[in-house]
Amino acid sequence: ALKLFTTLFGLFGAAASFFLMQESDFMFITIIFALFVGLFGPNLVLSKLVSDRRDKIKAAVPDGLDLLVVCTESGLGFNAALRRIADELVVSHPDFAFELDTVCAKIQAGVEMPVAFKELVDRTGVEELTGLVSMLAHASKVGGSIAQTLRDYTEDYRDKRNQEAEEVAAKIPTKMLFPMVLFIWPCFF
C-alpha cells in the first residue's frame, strides 16, 4: 500500500511539475526525480531498514550464544534456555529476542529444531547462524552434549568476529591514503 501511495505521489508530482514548470529548464529533471522517488524510494528505504535490522541481529548473536551456553550448562533444556534468553534479551536486543521467541513458538508447535532455526536464518538473513543450525542438528542426531557444542561454536564465532574486525582495521590505512593525498599533501606546498 505504501509503494502504491508513493508511486501515485510520484506520478502526481511529475504531472504537477509538467504543468507548472513548462517554461523552466529543470522540468525534465524534476519529472525524472519525482518518478524515481515515487517508484524506487520505498525499495531503498526498505532495503536500508532490512540492512539495519540484520546488523542489529548480527550484533546480538554473541550475547545470545553466551547466555545460551550459560543456561544449558546450568541444567536448563535447550527449549527452556531459548525461552529464557528471549525473555532476557528483550531489553538489550529486542529484534533478536523476537526472532528467538518465534523459534521457541515454532518448536512448541511441533516444528523440528533444525527446521525452525533454518527458517530463522531465512527470515533474518544472518548467515552466521547456519553453522549453529548444522552443529545443533548434528549434536541432536548423534546425542552429543549440546552445551559443549555450543561452547565450541561460541569460541569459533568469537574468533571469526575478531578476524573480521582485524580485516576491517587492516583496510583503514589504504582508505585513508586518498583523503590524505587530496587534503593534507597540498597543504605542504
Side-chain angles (χ1 to χ4, degrees), residues 34-134:
L35 290 175
F36 179 79
V37 168
L39 292 174
F40 300 112
N43 292 342
L44 295 173
V45 170
L46 183 63
S47 65
K48 175 70 174 141
L49 290 174
V50 167
S51 175
D52 290 346
R53 186 170 190 270
R54 183 181 303 128
D55 291 342
K56 287 178 185 176
I57 291 174
K58 191 175 180 180
V61 169
D63 294 339
L65 286 174
D66 289 338
L67 286 173
L68 191 60
V69 168
V70 169
C71 288
T72 54
E73 285 183 347
S74 68
L76 281 176
F78 189 74
N79 296 343
L82 278 179
R83 176 67 64 188
R84 176 69 187 226
I85 291 167
D87 293 340
E88 292 292 328
L89 290 179
V90 167
V91 175
S92 59
H93 305 290
D95 295 328
F96 190 55
F98 174 75
E99 292 296 335
L100 285 180
D101 198 35
T102 304
V103 168
C104 291
K106 286 186 177 197
I107 290 172
Q108 284 182 344
V111 177
E112 293 181 6
M113 182 182 55
V115 174
F117 273 107
K118 176 72 171 108
E119 291 172 357
L120 169 72
V121 171
D122 293 340
R123 262 192 328 269
T124 60
V126 179
E127 296 296 326
E128 286 80 11
L129 294 174
T130 307
L132 176 66
V133 173
S134 62

